[in-house]
Amino acid sequence: MAMQIRIERTTAPKAKPADASKLGFGQVFTDHMFVMDYVDGIGWTDPRIVPYGPFSLDPATSVLHYGQAIFEGLKAYRTPDGGVQLFRPHANMARIQTSNDRMVIPRIDENFCVEAIKALVDVERDWVPSAPGTSLYIRPFIFSTDAFLGVRASKTYRFVVILSPSGPYYPKGLDPVAIYVEQDYVRAVRGGTGAAKTPGNYASSLKSQTEAYKQGFVQVLWLDGIERRYVEEVGAMNVFFLFGDELVTPALEGSILPGITRASVLELARGWGMKAVERRLAIDEVAERYDRGELTEVFGAGTAAVISPVGTLVWGEKRMTIHENRIGPVSQRLYDTLTGIQYGTRPDPYGWIEKV
Ligand SMILES: *Cc1c(COP(=O)(O)O)cnc(C)c1O
């Protein structure tokens, strides 16, 4: 079912950002977007690259009321030879399928969607910035479009991909962040939607994030929703703890988003001969091992930051300072290796890169 992508080019191209190194994140969008619709009885249809612009939606559009939607996030990187490449795009499209299944959104053709992303990035090739640490952020998303106020799965959907040139995540180097352990709110529960990249998870996290900001923290460390004891994620990133030579990340038991950065960190660490384990990790174990001097590094892992070192972790009255509030050697090595592969300055032994 190879579909032909129709391309309608803009007649009013925008000025590209003069200094990409000063770009923030997610504020500037390119000239075009990819759009495809799902029609009941027909399936996904009419794939097109069209000028970037707003949609007109009926006020009863189901996503506005019941949030039946999913999204993804990946980046296109400029290589030293001027090429453009993607990092594990098939993994993102495979994750769309699991998010779709959970949200009762019809499946997509993964390979076609990777082709669509490549076609869009190719049209917008000149928007991929080349200053160090910059990239073109790619945001695919799907939302339900039935204009109907009943709680049921929609019969129609729209799949969209937009692109946003983004500045370096760390303009001043990898500064460790301060995190507190959230004890009142939870992000997800087993059986819920935590393993799906669906907007409601982020809406429900905003309360906690807002409180954290007010208290001078950058993000929160989420605990499990049942016992409020087991570590789950940090903000919207997966989390890793290094105890001596054992790298631990919470096992995927249904409430954790299966990050592609997380999977890549595990593969790299295992490839280096480290003991990298996925298991339940209680916050009291973290604190005890901190007291014994065994907790040497903590970091978040996700597409946006790649690796985000945690320098301060506050759990109630207990304040833990990790690696003297500086990035540790394992975090740094993971960051350097992953970004080196992504930007094409290091070899790609795992075959993670796809050229556009
Ligand atoms: C997207 C996301 C991650 C990280 O996934 P990557 O594929 O590594 O970008 C982790 N946790 C949450 C909640 C997320 O939404």
Side-chain angles (χ1 to χ4, degrees):
M1 54 155 277
M3 286 188 285
Q4 194 70 31
I5 301 173
R6 172 164 68 81
I7 300 183
E8 179 194 334
R9 285 181 189 267
T10 181
T11 52
K14 301 176 230 184
K16 298 197 177 55
D19 185 356
S21 67
K22 296 214 170 63
L23 279 174
F25 175 80
Q27 295 168 47
V28 174
F29 299 94
T30 68
D31 287 319
H32 300 87
M33 59 185 179
F34 174 85
V35 184
M36 169 166 84
D37 292 304
Y38 184 89
V39 180
D40 197 26
I42 295 176
W44 289 107
T45 182
D46 194 17
R48 54 209 188 265
I49 291 170
V50 292
Y52 184 94
F55 296 123
S56 162
L57 295 177
D58 189 290
T61 301
S62 79
V63 69
L64 301 176
H65 303 272
Y66 309 120
Q68 196 192 3
I70 64 93
F71 67 95
E72 267 304 325
L74 65 161
K75 290 171 172 175
Y77 306 88
R78 181 74 72 183
T79 59
D81 62 3
V84 172
Q85 59 188 32
L86 307 176
F87 182 73
R88 310 190 74 176
H90 283 277
N92 291 91
M93 294 307 111
R95 190 168 62 191
I96 281 192
Q97 304 289 36
T98 52
S99 295
N100 278 3
D101 288 348
R102 182 63 183 84
M103 302 310 292
V104 206
I105 295 171
R107 295 195 138 221
I108 53 159
D109 180 327
E110 288 172 34
N111 292 324
F112 177 73
C113 289
V114 172
E115 289 317 306
I117 288 171
K118 286 181 179 172
L120 179 64
V121 172
D122 188 39
V123 165
E124 305 289 53
R125 186 171 285 272
D126 293 346
W127 282 91
V128 183
S130 55
T134 61
S135 60
L136 185 68
Y137 186 76
I138 304 169
R139 167 54 58 86
F141 58 105
I142 303 176
F143 60 96
S144 60
T145 52
D146 279 7
F148 170 70
L149 288 187
V151 182
R152 60 144 170 80
S154 182
K155 293 181 164 62
T156 61
Y157 298 87
R158 180 161 288 172
F159 176 102
V160 186
V161 184
I162 56 175
L163 306 176
S164 175
S166 299
Y169 196 89
Y170 294 108
K172 300 189 216 86
L174 279 90
D175 269 342
V177 295
I179 300 288
Y180 81 58
V181 180
E182 177 60 73
Q183 302 190 84
D184 295 327
Y185 303 106
V186 298
R187 192 191 83 90
V189 291
R190 250 176 293 154
T193 57
K197 232 170 159 70
T198 188
N201 294 341
Y202 306 84
S204 71
S205 76
L206 296 177
K207 178 83 177 163
S208 171
Q209 191 193 78
T210 306
E211 304 273 317
Y213 281 160
K214 269 193 221 150
Q215 297 176 42
F217 294 90
V218 171
Q219 267 303 347
V220 301
L221 184 77
W222 298 105
L223 299 180
D224 78 277
I226 297 165
E227 294 176 64
R228 311 278 176 106
R229 179 170 180 217
Y230 296 99
V231 170
E232 298 229 313
E233 300 203 52
V234 60
M237 283 190 272
N238 296 114
V239 66
F240 286 81
F241 292 78
L242 185 66
F243 303 105
D245 64 351
E246 185 197 23
L247 185 63
V248 182
T249 194
L252 302 175
E253 294 179 342
S255 54
I256 292 173
L257 198 286
I260 294 157
T261 317
R262 175 188 181 279
S264 309
V265 163
L266 288 170
E267 275 192 64
L268 284 177
R270 286 169 185 155
W272 296 337
M274 289 180 68
K275 200 167 114 200
V277 294
E278 300 165 78
R279 63 168 170 89
R280 281 200 186 175
L281 176 62
I283 187 66
D284 39 281
E285 176 186 339
V286 171
E288 273 166 34
R289 298 185 77 173
Y290 172 81
D291 287 342
R292 293 207 297 266
E294 293 171 14
L295 176 60
T296 48
E297 298 185 35
V298 179
F299 61 88
T303 295
V306 187
I307 298 293
S308 176
V310 175
T312 306
L313 187 60
V314 172
W315 177 40
E317 299 295 298
K318 187 164 186 66
R319 191 179 187 89
M320 298 173 252
T321 304
I322 294 120
H323 205 264
E324 295 169 356
N325 203 25
R326 288 178 293 110
I327 184 168
V330 172
S331 309
Q332 185 75 57
R333 184 178 181 197
L334 285 163
Y335 179 82
D336 292 344
T337 307
L338 281 168
T339 55
I341 293 171
Q342 289 164 342
Y343 286 93
T345 58
R346 290 197 182 207
D348 170 31
Y350 295 95
W352 287 337
I353 290 303
E354 292 197 31
K355 301 265 179 208
V356 174

